[in-house]
């Protein structure tokens, strides 16, 4: 996925979440070992959101690309985030899976998609 498509998908996801009542705290927060696409607040829960986009389903659903290796990187980045901002909140990991035309994609929001073991 090109950088422009990734940014467009993340902006779509942020708008989608905003309409659902989430407060977007950060976008594209990078650490040396990984990045957080979106960090949002859902009531009192900090949500770390991975956004995946595919124009077609030829290679499967976008959320299928969030395997164990990717999850570990997101979890490490989330721990670094919590340490940096000195917060100990309730938190969870969601995935926003988008496919089709980015002007009006099919959206699947997987709440509590994976956990830190």
């Amino acid at each position: 996925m090109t950088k422009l498509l990734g940014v467009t998908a993340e902006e779509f996801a942020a708008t989608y979440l905003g309409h659902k009542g989430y407060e977007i705290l950060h976008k594209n927060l990078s650490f040396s070992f990984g990045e957080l696409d979106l960090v949002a607040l859902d009531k009192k829960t900090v949500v770390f959101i991975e956004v995946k986009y595919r124009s077609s389903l030829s290679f499967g659903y976008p959320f299928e690309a969030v395997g164990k290796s990717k999850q570990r990187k997101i979890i490490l980045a989330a721990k670094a985030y919590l340490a940096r901002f000195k917060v100990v909140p309730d938190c969870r990991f969601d995935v926003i899976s988008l496919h089709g035309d980015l002007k009006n994609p099919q959206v699947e929001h997987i709440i509590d998609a994976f956990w830190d073991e």
Side-chain angles (χ1 to χ4, degrees):
M1 175 167 50
T2 68
K3 186 74 171 165
L4 179 59
L5 280 177
V7 169
T8 303
E10 289 166 6
E11 286 300 322
F12 184 93
T15 300
Y16 170 85
L17 291 167
H19 284 89
K20 290 182 75 173
Y22 288 62
E23 177 187 349
I24 303 299
L25 302 175
H26 300 279
K27 298 176 184 177
N28 294 311
L29 198 55
S30 292
F31 298 91
S32 60
F33 41 79
E35 100 171 3
L36 298 169
D37 291 339
L38 299 172
V39 180
L41 198 57
D42 179 19
K43 297 178 181 74
K44 293 183 179 182
T45 302
V46 173
V47 185
F48 301 101
I49 301 130
E50 177 67 11
V51 179
K52 288 294 182 191
Y53 167 74
R54 290 187 176 159
S55 58
S56 78
L57 299 179
S58 300
F59 296 101
Y61 287 92
F63 66 82
E64 294 173 328
V66 186
K68 289 290 184 193
S69 175
K70 182 66 174 174
Q71 291 173 20
R72 280 192 292 276
K73 289 179 183 179
I74 295 167
I75 289 166
L76 283 173
K79 287 179 178 181
Y81 174 91
L82 295 172
R84 177 186 292 177
F85 292 98
K86 304 200 184 328
V87 291
V88 184
D90 287 333
C91 63
R92 70 172 195 254
F93 299 93
D94 290 5
V95 174
I96 297 282
S97 179
L98 307 169
H99 69 272
D101 183 351
L102 261 179
K103 292 179 183 164
N104 189 25
Q106 296 294 311
V107 180
E108 185 168 3
H109 180 186
I110 304 166
I111 296 172
D112 220 6
F114 56 91
W115 306 272
D116 180 14
E117 297 175 8

